[in-house]
Amino acid sequence: MNFNLENKNFDLFHPLILVFMVILFLIIAMPMWYFYGKLPSPNIDLYLYIGIGLLFFIAGICLSKYLLENRFNLSKADSSLKNPQKLSLFESYSKNELILVGIVSVGIILQIINIALLGGIPLFSATLKAKAATKIWLISYIIFLPSINILLAKYNRNSHYVLLILGLLLFALTGYRTTPIAIMLSALITLYYTRDVDLKYIIFAIIAIALMLLVVGFIAVQAISWQHWSLNPIELVSYRAAFTLNILSQAIANQFATMGNLFYSTLTGFFTHTDPRVLVGIATIGRNHSITSTIFGPALLDFGIVGMIVQMIFLGLILKTLHYMQSHKKSIFTAFYGILLAQTIIWIETGPTDVVVWLFYLMGIFIIIHGLRGVEDGI
């Protein structure tokens, strides 16, 4: 079974996959509420607010589709687009390809330097993990993630997978789950739209991402000496989902608690050594702990239900617009669609409290503007 863009029966990575993933996140959490009883079950408000958030996310998708079809006449994907030609290891490299390989390599080298300066592997040490998100780490991630996806989108050469795997392993060694998951998932989405990918490989990649989530998350938790868990890796995933959704329940009950300070801290916290998720912990459970509150929580704490609605419309609008653009132009548009969709799926648990992801969204907006201008000019 083939899922190539031109002939697949359905679009696996349509922005609506976010709705499915949120529902899946709820299902994963339910055993800890209703079977094991390790956490208190939520009230109906939780399901109501999640439903409202998803409804307005879909509204953002519909708004994008309406604007693009009526303003820019982009109703169908360009069937004339071809996937990048398969290249062998020794075929000549274009100047642009060599530049991209060089940029990817810089990102990898910076991450090697970051780990070397830490003096150990953060994945196995909670103390080192707390120090791993340095300015070098941030620069290396901002460089590596877009450049590897653009390289994969534009040039079909097997040797580029070596760079992908090397970068993936290095970022996994930092002990953070989100960065290696974002790398794997964004690359999968990019390849899905720019290669002839059989269903079996899609399934294999999804299983690999799930295993990465389990392994990195479990090892990182076990490395925290002051926490003692009796749960196995699968139970731990369910517990984290249920706990995070319970924090969302608290965010619903404490709307406007942070009055915009959480978003401000998200944009500036990395540079001022302030963790915005600590503000989430203070606002929801009154503790000075770094806590996640799902994709809906931060907006509720800052600006209430109106803030959540505006955020979800914005996410649906941007993702669907990039999805349209990549179907017409591929290349860098596909790369950034893969990045933003992957990061937004991760936000389902972590919430939009990462300045680096907002930077990627800003890049995505500039790319959309450039692409739409090209459409208006007939390019």
Side-chain angles (χ1 to χ4, degrees), residues 109-131:
I109 292 169
L110 286 174
Q111 190 54 238
I112 292 172
I113 293 172
N114 184 49
I115 293 175
L117 291 175
L118 290 170
I121 299 177
L123 177 61
F124 305 111
S125 169
T127 302
L128 290 178
K129 179 183 174 182
K131 302 175 182 178

Side-chain angles (χ1 to χ4, degrees), residues 258-277 279-280 298-299 301-303 352-356 358:
T258 52
M259 295 297 291
N261 288 328
L262 183 52
F263 186 63
Y264 176 78
S265 178
T266 296
L267 298 180
T268 63
F270 185 88
F271 307 100
T272 60
H273 304 289
T274 303
D275 185 353
R277 292 170 188 168
L279 296 181
V280 174
L301 289 171
D302 266 344
F303 309 112
T353 54
D354 308 287
V355 65
V356 64
W358 286 117

Side-chain angles (χ1 to χ4, degrees), residues 77-94:
D78 186 353
S79 60
S80 66
L81 286 176
K82 301 299 181 183
N83 289 331
Q85 181 182 358
K86 180 73 174 180
L87 301 170
S88 70
L89 176 62
F90 301 105
E91 282 188 66
S92 61
Y93 286 70
S94 68

Side-chain angles (χ1 to χ4, degrees), residues 309-341:
I309 288 172
V310 170
Q311 172 190 280
M312 297 311 293
I313 291 175
F314 171 79
L315 295 180
L317 178 66
I318 296 301
L319 286 175
K320 182 56 184 174
T321 303
L322 259 183
H323 180 258
Y324 261 73
M325 295 306 299
Q326 75 82 24
S327 70
H328 283 262
K329 293 177 174 291
K330 293 193 176 183
S331 187
I332 191 172
F333 300 95
T334 301
F336 267 87
Y337 177 67
I339 292 168
L340 293 188
L341 181 60

